[in-house]
Amino acid sequence: MAPSSFDSARVVRKVRGRAASDGAGVKLTRVIGGPDLPDLDPFLLLDEFGTDRAEDYIAGFPDHPHRGFETVTYMLDGRMRHRDNHGNEGLLVPGSVQWMTAGRGLVHSEMPEQEEGRMRGFQLWVNLPAREKMTEPRYQEFPPARIPVARPAAGVEVKVVAGEVEAADGSRVRGPIEQPTTSPMYLDVALEPGAQWEHRLPEGHNAFAYAFEGEASLGSGGDARTLESHELAVLGGGDLLRIAAGPDGARMLLVAGRPLREPVARHGPFVMNTRQEVMQAFVDYQEGRF
Ligand code: FE2
């Protein structure tokens, strides 16, 4: 075994999402947050939505609350309008990212702004530590033109939403999202057929890859495992991740975050540290304090 393989990242386990329905009946695939992978600290939920059938998404996500964590919406296709009870409103278009810190609480809707055509994207929930759960709500929202693109290797294109990627010339490309506590990395990685890339994951973070087009091999040497479309790989071992695309290329989310290592008490849209805090969230919501 070469010395370098000691710090190679490898696939610890693979998970396939399960069909679920949320909001007013939107059909989606729950990858994190279901029985197979309840969470991956600091990540609480990953939903993939993707359909050409309007009846699968048209009902949208009418008014609902959140408290105690962040929701990250990344659109691939389609248009979604969000509005909250603090007067914030915005339109997500293909390639947009919305990193919403719900903090102490808000009530919002997320509704499709189209009646036909394709709707595709992801929602990720990122936990907040106890000391930040009751912060003021905050939005970091960026249209596609504000998401930098790195080309770190031949045939590899990376949209850097959060975190850093080292480009082929050694320069670093940094995403626009600021979140010092969990220090997230959120990359949309596209590889042409047969393309290869080695990327160093942030040290000490929990990390996963979720393939959504094609397939790729993850890991080095005898540890390499194939990740098919709509499979999530929990990554472990060292920090240096080797990705090699299959014959049809691949596209995947590559996500990492610093774990919080705090107790999690969650019920629906409220994620706190204790059951009592969750009960308080229900009371505050019902009494209009969001
Ligand atoms: Fe929401």
Side-chain angles (χ1 to χ4, degrees):
M1 184 182 280
S4 65
S5 42
F6 285 116
D7 73 347
S8 293
R10 60 188 169 78
V11 177
V12 175
R13 63 179 289 211
K14 291 202 289 185
V15 177
R16 239 177 212 287
R18 293 193 189 203
S21 167
D22 210 334
V26 176
K27 290 200 170 64
L28 46 80
T29 303
R30 184 144 297 161
V31 191
I32 301 176
D36 300 320
L37 186 61
D39 59 34
L40 182 67
D41 187 12
F43 305 111
L44 301 159
L45 175 143
L46 176 68
D47 282 343
E48 176 182 27
F49 49 96
T51 176
D52 298 312
R53 294 157 38 100
E55 61 264 38
D56 288 347
Y57 62 74
I58 202 72
F61 301 87
D63 277 348
H64 60 278
H66 294 286
R67 174 180 278 183
F69 60 101
E70 304 186 298
T71 66
V72 180
T73 306
Y74 180 45
M75 293 296 290
L76 297 173
D77 297 298
R79 294 152 63 86
M80 188 90 87
R81 181 170 295 277
H82 68 90
R83 277 194 188 94
D84 77 11
N85 64 328
H86 297 257
N88 300 298
E89 180 174 346
L91 180 66
L92 303 180
V93 300
S96 288
V97 171
Q98 183 203 64
W99 199 289
M100 184 186 85
T101 306
R104 61 181 306 281
L106 52 74
V107 181
H108 76 161
S109 61
E110 300 157 285
M111 301 298 290
E113 192 146 293
Q114 63 190 40
E115 287 170 2
E116 55 179 25
R118 192 161 173 72
M119 180 73 79
R120 187 164 72 128
F122 298 95
Q123 189 166 92
L124 177 72
W125 289 9
V126 189
N127 206 358
L128 286 168
R131 67 175 184 280
E132 291 174 33
K133 284 191 179 293
M134 295 298 276
T135 59
E136 286 304 309
R138 176 191 180 202
Y139 288 84
Q140 300 182 73
E141 193 164 308
F142 297 98
R146 297 277 309 278
I147 310 294
V149 178
R151 291 180 181 79
V156 181
E157 190 179 279
V158 184
K159 292 177 181 157
V160 187
V161 173
E164 275 191 353
V165 168
E166 189 174 328
D169 65 359
S171 65
R172 302 192 78 80
V173 178
R174 186 166 178 79
I177 300 298
E178 295 294 338
Q179 172 36 283
T181 304
T182 46
S183 185
M185 178 188 81
Y186 190 117
L187 310 177
D188 172 357
V189 184
L191 301 103
E192 291 176 7
Q196 297 183 19
W197 181 39
E198 273 194 346
H199 175 60
R200 192 162 288 281
L201 302 169
E203 200 182 335
H205 281 37
N206 283 332
F208 69 85
Y210 183 75
F212 58 94
E213 289 176 16
E215 62 176 50
S217 154
L218 300 184
S220 302
D223 280 340
R225 287 180 73 184
T226 299
L227 190 68
E228 294 174 16
S229 271
H230 310 293
E231 279 186 335
L232 179 144
V234 177
L235 302 171
D239 301 325
L240 191 63
L241 176 66
R242 184 173 178 278
I243 304 174
D248 298 321
R251 194 164 169 200
M252 67 182 70
L253 297 183
L254 188 56
V255 177
R258 184 184 292 133
L260 297 174
R261 304 187 205 285
E262 290 185 357
V264 174
R266 67 193 284 182
H267 194 96
F270 308 128
V271 184
M272 306 301 288
N273 297 103
T274 68
R275 191 177 136 79
Q276 190 184 0
E277 290 167 346
V278 172
M279 306 284 277
Q280 188 63 48
F282 273 100
V283 171
D284 287 350
Y285 172 54
Q286 277 159 8
E287 295 183 354
R289 285 196 287 269
F290 272 38

